Amino acid sequence: MQTPVPDYLKHVLSQCQRNVGGQLADYIPELAQADPNKLALALSTADGMIYSSGDDGHEFTIQSMSKPFAYALVLEQLGIEEVLQKVGVEPSGEAFNQISLDKELNIPKNPMINSGAITTHSLIQTTAGISRAEQLRRFLSELAGRELSFDEQVYTSEMKTAFRNLSIGYMLRTVGALDTDPVEIVNGYIQQCAIKVTVKDLANIARVLANGGLHPKTGECLLDRAVVRQVLSVMLSCGMYDAAGDWLTTVGIPAKSGVSGGIIGVLPGQVGIAVFSPRVDEHGNSVRGIDIFERLSADMGLHLMEGTPSAQTIIQSCYWAGKNDDVRVYELRGVLQFTESEMLLRNLQEEPPGDTTIVLDLTNLTLIHDVGARMLFEGVERLQQDGHRVVVVDSEGILSEAQMKGNKRVVVKEKLTKYLEKFQ
Ligand code: DON
């Protein structure tokens, strides 16, 4: 059998094709030359599968979809606190290219609007001889899994008419939000916007955020978890500019649009999505792109506020083992976060005080959140206080060093069956 996902994506595109609302952005002359009929969609799963449909090989410029990743890069380089001194996180409720600042703090309201993105660009740390835009191109190439390049024509075209961004640059320099040459920074920012991508690149880039910053195949940490959370939060509240409220209620996933006609969306823990269709609305957001996301969200239940109920099955099985049937084994499965940990502890509460050995087997867990690890070890300590000997079997190494801290002596790394042989 063949998975129906590609057919579904094709179907969504055909449904949205007839929507010819919106216009090509023409304040960047080169974008007005785009083929308005191009249409593409890609979906990249957290475990590394990519599906795509339509004009999925067509390259276009990343434009404002570069902003969350420039933000991620500087958060990694400087830390969240330092960046917050320079760029806020409040939705502006204004157009993306508004010449405005937070009135009290005199800094741009958020990194998704141009004033915030230009400031963010200035914060990119580089080594000698490498421009900020080049630094970002390398970073995005790493996330995309292929070498990306600049579109010189779009860059030159935008520079010719960059009066508004230059005004923003001068304004930022005047109030001290920029401390370097505003023309150089705006130039670099416009180059950043001219990095060429396909929907597949964008879905793969977005997928790194969906996957908590980890490379889906190698498990390498490309972005710190706290950085991912910060970026996704800002995308959710500010990514669609002055249409963010509409987006949040109808689609409900962190997203970022670009005036070239792309939109990326990230469903944490699940997928990175990217669409492309060049006609945009008055907010600079792709008209068909919104249509596609609304359908995907409704059909696939992507809205964040729908919440995912806990699987309610943290204990896969519970039995007695050992020669004398005096070893109590709890095999756990699923994800251990607050709800499941609470459920586990409630079950362990039923263990009467005594000197039985209690084995908690983590082999079939797929993820342990920090709160899950804390609650697990709190339970271990309380069982020990009741007189039990407690062992945590972590044969797959799911617990991080930090999560195990102070509790290593109760963790064994061998397979459950091997460990239980001791009691035969
Ligand atoms: O700075 C600009 O105006 C463009 N390079 C990017 C704007 C943009 O993509 C707005 N988003 N929808």
Side-chain angles (χ1 to χ4, degrees):
M1 84 107 194
Q2 278 194 328
T3 162
V5 176
D7 297 336
Y8 169 68
L9 298 188
K10 227 181 262 173
H11 170 73
V12 171
L13 286 191
S14 73
Q15 293 286 301
C16 297
Q17 201 143 21
R18 48 185 99 116
N19 184 345
V20 290
Q23 310 225 300
L24 294 174
D26 58 4
Y27 75 100
I28 300 172
E30 193 63 24
L31 292 188
Q33 305 305 314
D35 175 354
N37 297 316
K38 288 269 186 267
L39 182 60
L41 166 59
L43 194 146
S44 185
T45 66
D47 69 343
M49 178 66 198
I50 179 130
Y51 298 97
S52 59
S53 195
D55 300 304
D56 57 0
H58 176 71
E59 287 191 318
F60 49 93
T61 50
I62 192 167
Q63 298 300 339
S64 290
M65 291 174 288
S66 62
K67 293 170 178 173
F69 302 98
Y71 188 49
L73 182 58
V74 303
L75 290 170
E76 284 279 332
Q77 292 178 329
L78 301 175
I80 295 177
E81 286 313 314
E82 192 171 335
V83 177
L84 282 174
Q85 306 293 315
K86 301 277 188 179
V87 186
V89 287
E90 294 304 332
S92 68
E94 294 171 342
F96 69 84
N97 55 4
Q98 192 74 27
I99 306 176
S100 71
L101 288 173
D102 183 294
K103 287 196 183 63
E104 277 166 31
L105 302 171
N106 246 4
I107 59 172
K109 286 216 173 112
N110 69 67
M112 301 294 118
I113 50 173
N114 287 11
S115 58
I118 291 169
T119 307
T120 302
H121 181 85
S122 79
L123 299 175
I124 297 176
Q125 309 293 298
T126 59
T127 41
I130 298 175
S131 69
R132 296 177 180 89
E134 170 59 14
Q135 187 81 19
L136 185 66
R137 187 200 63 77
R138 291 181 186 186
F139 178 55
L140 284 168
S141 300
E142 193 185 7
L143 301 189
R146 81 167 180 117
E147 211 52 41
L148 305 175
S149 58
F150 293 105
D151 187 324
E152 293 299 332
Q153 254 168 297
V154 173
Y155 158 66
T156 319
S157 170
E158 183 166 0
M159 273 312 288
K160 281 192 189 135
T161 56
F163 311 115
R164 204 168 175 95
N165 280 333
L166 285 166
S167 315
I168 293 174
Y170 281 114
M171 180 269 297
L172 292 169
R173 183 74 182 89
T174 308
V175 299
L178 280 187
D179 50 18
T180 35
D181 176 14
V183 178
E184 183 202 323
I185 296 301
V186 169
N187 193 315
Y189 158 75
I190 287 175
Q191 227 177 339
Q192 154 185 333
C193 291
I195 294 171
K196 280 190 287 188
V197 285
T198 65
V199 280
K200 289 204 232 175
D201 295 326
L202 287 174
N204 282 338
I205 292 169
R207 184 255 311 275
V208 176
L209 294 177
N211 203 27
L214 302 182
H215 189 288
K217 294 263 158 72
T218 63
E220 185 193 348
C221 182
L222 300 173
L223 286 170
D224 190 80
R225 205 165 247 290
V227 166
V228 171
R229 194 178 63 184
Q230 179 81 3
V231 173
L232 290 178
S233 306
V234 174
M235 284 169 72
L236 188 62
S237 55
C238 313
M240 299 302 276
Y241 310 120
D242 40 343
D246 248 353
W247 179 269
L248 182 52
T249 48
T250 54
V251 179
I253 67 173
K256 185 73 209 79
S257 59
V259 79
S260 49
I263 304 181
I264 55 167
V266 177
L267 189 64
Q270 296 193 47
V271 284
I273 303 172
V275 299
F276 174 67
S277 172
R279 277 184 287 249
V280 296
D281 64 13
E282 68 279 20
H283 307 289
N285 301 332
S286 168
V287 172
R288 278 176 178 165
I290 294 172
D291 198 348
I292 294 171
F293 265 101
E294 285 181 354
R295 285 170 198 263
L296 292 179
S297 177
D299 292 351
M300 292 157 65
L302 301 184
H303 200 297
L304 276 182
M305 302 310 162
E306 293 208 357
T308 314
S310 155
Q312 306 279 319
T313 53
I314 191 63
I315 298 173
Q316 176 170 292
S317 56
C318 172
Y319 52 89
W320 289 102
K323 201 165 48 190
N324 304 320
D325 265 354
D326 55 355
V327 179
R328 188 88 167 133
V329 182
Y330 286 84
E331 289 187 24
L332 310 184
R333 80 150 190 235
V335 174
L336 195 61
Q337 46 193 350
F338 173 77
T339 334
E340 296 80 11
S341 313
E342 184 278 330
M343 196 184 302
L344 173 64
L345 295 181
R346 206 179 332 136
N347 277 274
L348 291 175
Q349 201 167 247
E350 302 300 317
E351 286 293 336
D355 59 0
T356 36
T357 296
I358 296 182
V359 178
L360 301 170
D361 176 42
L362 312 186
T363 308
N364 294 320
L365 287 182
T366 50
L367 185 74
I368 301 192
H369 283 264
D370 288 348
V371 63
R374 280 202 307 276
M375 290 173 75
L376 176 82
F377 288 121
E378 179 67 34
V380 168
E381 202 179 312
R382 289 178 183 229
L383 288 169
Q384 287 169 334
Q385 281 164 8
D386 283 351
H388 298 289
R389 175 163 187 269
V390 190
V391 175
V392 173
V393 172
D394 183 21
S395 62
E396 299 297 312
I398 195 165
L399 285 164
S400 69
E401 283 295 317
Q403 289 174 337
M404 267 188 294
K405 206 164 169 242
N407 292 291
K408 272 193 176 159
R409 66 196 185 293
V410 298
V411 180
V412 301
K413 295 281 185 185
E414 58 195 331
K415 294 242 178 275
L416 178 66
T417 42
K418 185 95 194 108
Y419 178 74
L420 290 178
E421 279 173 14
K422 288 187 184 44
F423 298 93
Q424 292 309 320

